[in-house]
Amino acid sequence: MPRSDLRADAIRALSMDAVQAAGSGHPGMPMGMAEVAVALWGGHLNHNPLDPAWPDRDRFVLSNGHGSMLLYSLLHLTGYALPIDELKRFRQLHSKTPGHPEVGYAPGIETTTGPLGQGLANAVGMALAERLLAAEFNRDGLPIVDHRTYAFVGDGCLMEGISHEACSLAGTWKLGKLIVFYDDNGISIDGEVGGWFTDDTPARFRAYGWNVVEAVDGHDVGAVDAAIRRARAQDERPTLICCRTLIGKGAPAKAGSAECHGAPLGDAEIAAARDAMDWPHPPFVIPDAVYAAFDARKAGARKQACWETLMAAYRAKHPRLAAEFDRRQRGALPDKFAQRAARQAKALQAQAETMATRQASQHAIAFFAKALPELVGGSADLTGSNLTRWPAARDYAAGHGGNYLHYGVREFAMAAIINGLQLHRGVRAFGGTFLMFSEYARNALRMAALMRVNPVFVFTHDSIGLGEDGPTHQPVEQLAALRLTPNMDVWRPCDTVETLVAWQVALEHASTPTSLVLSRQSLPCQARSRQQLADIRKGGYVLKREAGALQAILIATGSEVDIAVQAWRELAALGIHARVVSMPSCHMFDQQDPAYRHAVLPFDVPALAVEAGVTAGWRKYVGRRGEVVGIDTFGESAPAGELYRHFGLTAARVADSARKLIAQASATGRNDFSGARSAAHRRRAIPIHG
Ligand SMILES: Cc1ncc(C[n+]2csc(CCOP(=O)(O)OP(=O)(O)O)c2C)c(N)n1
Ligand SMILES: [Mg+2]
């Protein structure tokens, strides 16, 4: 039997045995794509198992992430620090081999996959990052950025709409170093795909402007190798290699059927597979010769050493660029970043301009872009509305690089491509759409938070304040939904100053994505002391202080902060001592120490929150006996001012509610307020794994 078959059979054995040991998992795809994997990993993939972070390595994305055992097998066999014991502990708590590949667990995992189609979009982002960095850094004869991005996809990935969005862009962007392998096995969970997936996939991808290699025998290592060579022979167009495969190949009774997609094969079928493959070795035992054939450590170290030599020449000739390249790889901010930002915040405070926070955001981008050449912006066809483009931005053009992307009307792909840009490293990506359409991007936002990457999502037109476009465009529950996502920092600033600080904190985050939620309409600048200015970054702070013994707290965000301030004035005129807490980021506020949180929101004082969105999320700050002025229905189409009155988001209503609250509190005793709120205060930042 030729050696390549042995390697493929080793993958098959590890995969079926690990799934069997776990009692769950997906043996079909790894067994079906084993030869495709051998052709790529054995002959083409440039990587160094001893340094998974080598900047110029090829990227490999397993978009059909349910086949995780394929990737774990490859990492183990080629020499990554993933011992056999970790494969034995497949899918177990705290193993490096969770059910789907997750970034930060096993070395060599480039992105977290499982939600089908998104890995493919991440791969498009990685391939784009390579092009951007190559255009920026490569110099004559010194191509320090020169690698490919490879992705495996299944029927599921190609059925998902995001594959259309992302692959359409990859074609337009001419990402010629992106090579995708389609596991064309004709099977998905419900059975043979003829009833639900009959696209002419090669024609579809040709229509996107891709190079398509059709009808490759996915079980012939030589044929796949030849297809990869054809793909690599050009770098004008991304390539799709369509591999005909048999799901679960090697399992005599179950191969070719959906039965082996996502369940252990069972002892009898595994024994039969061992016989059929002539694989006599016990579970998790791999012959030394197979290990030797897979081992990529020596070759990988050699390739990396070549690159280091190139890099040394580059350092000598272009020391400043080399230092910049290194800084970007580290993900470090430039020197004096925080000091410059603080000066700018002070200047904006002094200017006290009235403007929409989306416009303030555009100014912030222009300000930060001067110090951060790694910023790569974009919008899903709403550039003029999101105000994501800054004066010095350069539109991306194939072959010339750039730092601004027109994603077209493709919110989901935009967010997943942004994740891919971040995962690649070297750029700092952000992209915009209306807050309403964050929903189209939603799972990619969640994946950013789960993967602990740090892009910035710019969501403008953040409430009924957008006015006449009506309820289809007026977000109500979106802010609360974003805040519910663990490790997602959501900022809803109230003026130019908070917007700048929001951008600063977003850029300072190393492992947290940020959603910036911005107004379409103009908002006045609030007055602040030096201390208040410094406290913005804590996420919540006292903006207007009580003149006597505190009777009520008004908590507000964004466009409702000024409404709260006006209500505070009305109350003050009546001799009522209230305070206004501006709470642009609950995420940051919740991470402050208890003493600070208690000083801002004392437990035993009646509290009212006002925000143009659903009320539920504010209960954790105001308690059961507190009050929330918000919107628990859909919006309406009308001029913004009229809508604010219609929905009761007015200073008069807030002041009135506060008065009632104070009256209730004195009737029932203040301590009633403490229970629910102190629980919220005790809650620490939500721990996340990894
Ligand atoms: C967005 C999303 N929807 C549904 C699923 C559940 N799911 C996992 S695999 C799969 C079928 C995928 O079919 P295919 O890609 O052809 O995989 P194969 O059975 O060939 O390995 C489904 C529906 C998922 N993981 N992600
Ligand atoms: Mg399939």
Side-chain angles (χ1 to χ4, degrees):
M1 188 178 286
R3 158 167 277 191
S4 57
D5 284 16
L6 260 187
R7 286 186 288 177
D9 286 345
I11 291 171
R12 291 195 170 92
L14 285 174
S15 300
M16 67 182 186
D17 289 335
V19 170
Q20 189 68 23
S24 73
H26 303 77
M29 179 281 207
M31 297 178 80
M33 287 196 88
E35 280 87 5
V36 181
V38 166
L40 174 61
W41 284 63
H44 295 277
L45 192 72
N46 285 320
H47 64 130
N48 180 6
L50 299 175
D51 185 0
W54 168 29
D56 202 36
R57 69 192 182 281
D58 288 340
R59 304 304 197 264
F60 176 78
V61 173
L62 191 84
S63 189
N64 39 0
H66 55 278
S68 54
M69 266 315 301
L70 175 68
L71 185 46
Y72 297 145
S73 301
L74 289 164
L75 294 171
H76 169 71
L77 291 166
T78 55
Y80 284 79
L82 188 66
I84 195 76
D85 282 351
E86 290 292 343
L87 275 61
K88 291 180 188 166
R89 300 207 308 123
F90 179 46
R91 297 186 147 232
Q92 305 311 304
L93 190 62
H94 303 316
S95 74
K96 291 185 175 174
T97 50
H100 293 81
E102 290 185 53
V103 115
Y105 281 66
I109 304 287
E110 301 282 4
T111 178
T112 299
T113 53
L116 296 172
Q118 257 185 94
L120 175 55
N122 294 158
V124 170
M126 291 175 192
L128 175 63
E130 196 269 354
R131 293 289 74 203
L132 297 178
L133 292 169
E136 185 176 355
F137 285 98
N138 289 353
R139 291 293 182 272
D140 275 350
L142 298 169
I144 61 166
V145 183
D146 183 12
H147 55 265
R148 290 190 165 74
T149 303
Y150 296 99
F152 282 10
V153 305
D155 299 295
C157 293
L158 297 188
M159 280 187 257
E160 286 291 352
I162 191 173
S163 69
H164 166 68
E165 297 182 15
C167 294
S168 164
L169 281 171
T172 301
W173 289 341
K174 300 196 187 326
L175 300 179
K177 290 160 92 177
L178 172 66
I179 299 176
V180 176
F181 299 78
Y182 167 34
D183 182 25
D184 182 11
N185 61 16
I187 293 289
S188 65
I189 290 181
D190 279 4
E192 289 180 20
V193 299
W196 48 90
F197 186 40
T198 58
D199 302 358
D200 180 344
T201 297
R204 172 186 164 197
F205 276 78
R206 273 194 295 271
Y208 293 147
W210 283 50
N211 172 39
V212 179
V213 186
E214 272 186 69
V216 174
D217 178 351
H219 298 300
D220 179 344
V221 175
V224 178
D225 175 77
I228 299 172
R229 282 175 204 285
R230 277 175 63 187
R232 293 180 56 163
Q234 56 86 52
D235 56 13
E236 281 293 294
R237 290 175 294 163
T239 295
L240 182 75
I241 300 177
C242 300
C243 305
R244 290 288 320 173
T245 66
L246 187 68
I247 189 169
K249 185 173 164 58
K254 295 188 176 177
S257 92
E259 228 187 305
C260 64
H261 160 88
L265 296 179
D267 290 331
E269 179 74 352
I270 285 178
R274 276 199 152 70
D275 276 352
M277 291 190 287
D278 194 15
W279 185 265
H281 317 288
F284 304 108
V285 174
I286 302 293
D288 286 345
V290 174
Y291 273 123
F294 264 114
D295 195 343
R297 286 174 294 190
K298 252 200 201 122
R302 216 169 34 238
K303 283 171 189 164
Q304 184 167 353
C306 274
W307 179 81
E308 301 283 1
T309 307
L310 187 73
M311 196 66 210
Y314 187 87
R315 264 183 235 291
K317 219 164 162 200
H318 307 285
R320 278 195 29 214
L321 272 175
E324 173 67 7
F325 183 82
D326 292 340
R327 178 184 72 77
R328 304 257 200 108
Q329 290 303 318
R330 287 198 311 277
L333 290 170
D335 289 345
K336 304 211 173 78
F337 175 83
Q339 292 95 313
R340 281 193 206 151
R343 268 206 304 281
Q344 179 71 356
K346 222 169 127 187
L348 291 178
Q349 188 66 67
Q351 286 162 18
E353 277 189 83
T354 293
M355 70 171 70
T357 51
R358 62 178 170 143
Q359 196 183 352
S361 164
Q362 187 179 38
H363 290 308
I365 294 166
F367 171 77
F368 287 116
K370 280 187 217 141
L372 295 174
E374 63 265 47
L375 280 188
V376 173
S379 166
D381 206 40
L382 286 168
T383 293
S385 299
N386 302 143
L387 300 179
T388 34
R389 204 172 187 287
W390 63 106
R394 288 169 298 113
D395 285 346
Y396 169 80
H400 300 282
N403 56 14
Y404 195 81
L405 297 155
H406 295 279
Y407 290 96
V409 194
R410 301 182 183 91
E411 296 82 7
F412 191 11
M414 173 176 73
I417 287 170
I418 283 174
N419 289 346
L421 288 168
Q422 288 306 124
L423 288 160
H424 181 281
R425 295 187 85 81
V427 296
R428 196 68 194 276
F430 67 92
T433 184
F434 289 153
L435 176 59
M436 190 66 249
F437 305 130
S438 64
E439 305 241 318
Y440 274 56
R442 180 136 188 85
N443 199 259
L445 307 179
R446 179 178 192 272
M447 292 303 288
L450 173 65
M451 292 192 284
R452 301 171 63 91
V453 289
N454 56 354
V456 183
F457 301 107
V458 177
F459 296 129
T460 68
H461 297 59
D462 69 349
S463 72
I464 53 161
L466 64 86
E468 294 87 341
D469 273 342
T472 57
H473 284 53
Q474 292 164 353
V476 178
E477 73 278 32
Q478 284 63 35
L479 246 176
L482 286 170
R483 288 187 186 125
L484 279 176
T485 305
N487 192 39
M488 170 64 77
D489 190 6
V490 182
W491 279 80
R492 187 168 186 250
C494 75
D495 62 7
T496 55
V497 182
E498 283 192 0
T499 304
L500 185 96
V501 174
W503 262 105
Q504 180 193 347
V505 174
L507 292 169
E508 286 171 357
H509 280 316
S511 53
T512 296
T514 302
S515 293
L516 293 181
V517 175
L518 306 169
S519 74
R520 171 180 184 269
Q521 71 274 32
S522 281
L523 304 176
C525 188
Q526 301 296 332
R528 286 178 193 86
S529 68
R530 192 185 272 232
Q531 185 59 48
Q532 285 170 320
L533 197 55
D535 283 345
I536 295 174
R537 60 180 299 117
K538 294 178 180 161
Y541 63 101
V542 180
L543 179 66
K544 292 288 178 202
R545 199 161 277 288
E546 61 280 7
L550 181 61
Q551 292 172 277
I553 305 168
L554 311 179
I555 309 170
T557 77
S559 42
E560 287 69 68
V561 167
D562 197 56
I563 292 174
V565 168
Q566 290 171 41
W568 173 84
R569 287 208 179 92
E570 287 184 22
L571 292 168
L574 298 170
I576 296 172
H577 304 309
R579 70 167 54 168
V580 174
V581 169
S582 178
M583 182 83 85
S585 165
C586 301
H587 176 87
M588 293 302 287
F589 182 73
D590 290 350
Q591 290 180 43
Q592 303 307 314
D593 61 58
Y596 177 79
R597 283 178 286 144
H598 184 240
V600 174
L601 296 180
F603 298 145
D604 52 354
V605 180
L608 176 154
V610 50
E611 185 174 76
V614 293
T615 56
W618 290 104
R619 284 285 153 204
K620 77 173 182 173
Y621 300 107
V622 303
R624 273 183 301 149
R625 301 292 301 275
E627 176 68 30
V628 186
V629 178
I631 303 174
D632 285 317
T633 62
F634 294 115
E636 296 280 356
S637 172
E642 210 172 303
L643 288 175
Y644 266 81
R645 283 190 296 280
H646 173 76
F647 285 103
L649 289 159
T650 61
R653 159 89 190 276
V654 170
D656 194 45
S657 297
R659 283 213 319 275
K660 285 193 187 125
L661 204 58
I662 293 166
Q664 255 171 32
S666 54
T668 57
R670 282 179 166 187
N671 285 343
D672 282 342
F673 286 88
S674 62
R677 285 239 315 289
S678 58
H681 275 260
R682 276 198 303 274
R683 187 171 308 152
R684 298 294 304 170
I686 302 152
I688 57 164
H689 64 277

